Amino acid sequence: MDPDAPEAVVVAVVIDPKGTPEERAVGELFSCAYEGEGSFMLVRTDGWAERRLQGEVLTVDIVVYPAVLERLEIDAAEFPEHSLVEPDAVRLLRVSTRVAGRQYEQALDPTAVLTAPDEATPQQIVAGLHSGDAWPLILAPPPPAIA
């Protein structure tokens, strides 16, 4: 993801901003994030990514506090599931995939959210990142007080 650090392992969740209600809600988080150098960053007091590795299956939950949904004019009732580590936070999206355990052990703590239409290939997504046309949303792990 980072041309200056091509060996870095980053967990990335790719969403279609016109996809499911869950994907659209996560896509809305870009509008309340802070702009950084080639990326957007969501403040950890607003939301984060929770990751769990069970065997070879990595599960990522993207969660936010209900106040964020209010700011985005999204009905929190549409998201009845809550964070596994902070009961006040609402789970917007859960994704799972198989990963190589050794490679995952090297992954950086933040999780990147990328937007792309369903038909986009991994090569097109990476090309968008490298060209600067696509900026990821960076989500921190859960705050230390609740992790």
Side-chain angles (χ1 to χ4, degrees), residues 11-117:
V11 173
V13 174
V14 180
I15 62 155
D16 180 349
K18 296 179 181 175
T20 67
E22 294 84 2
E23 289 176 294
R24 290 192 309 268
V26 171
E28 289 295 322
L29 296 178
F30 282 77
S31 68
C32 63
Y34 292 93
E35 191 174 317
E37 288 186 36
S39 66
F40 295 99
M41 294 166 277
L42 188 66
V43 178
R44 190 161 38 180
T45 55
D46 286 345
W48 56 87
E50 298 173 2
R51 300 187 326 215
R52 294 171 308 290
L53 183 64
Q54 294 176 311
E56 293 181 352
V57 177
L58 173 64
T59 300
V60 179
D61 289 348
I62 298 175
V63 299
V64 297
Y65 283 108
V68 173
L69 296 178
E70 286 176 30
R71 281 196 314 249
L72 296 171
E73 298 180 357
I74 296 173
D75 184 3
E78 294 179 36
F79 301 95
E81 300 297 324
H82 290 265
S83 161
L84 295 176
V85 298
E86 171 56 66
D88 292 335
V90 177
R91 183 178 80 208
L92 297 181
L93 179 69
R94 172 175 281 170
V95 295
S96 296
T97 191
R98 290 198 167 290
V99 298
R102 280 198 180 157
Q103 190 173 20
Y104 177 71
E105 289 172 7
Q106 299 170 21
L108 301 174
D109 287 339
T111 300
V113 176
L114 310 170
T115 60

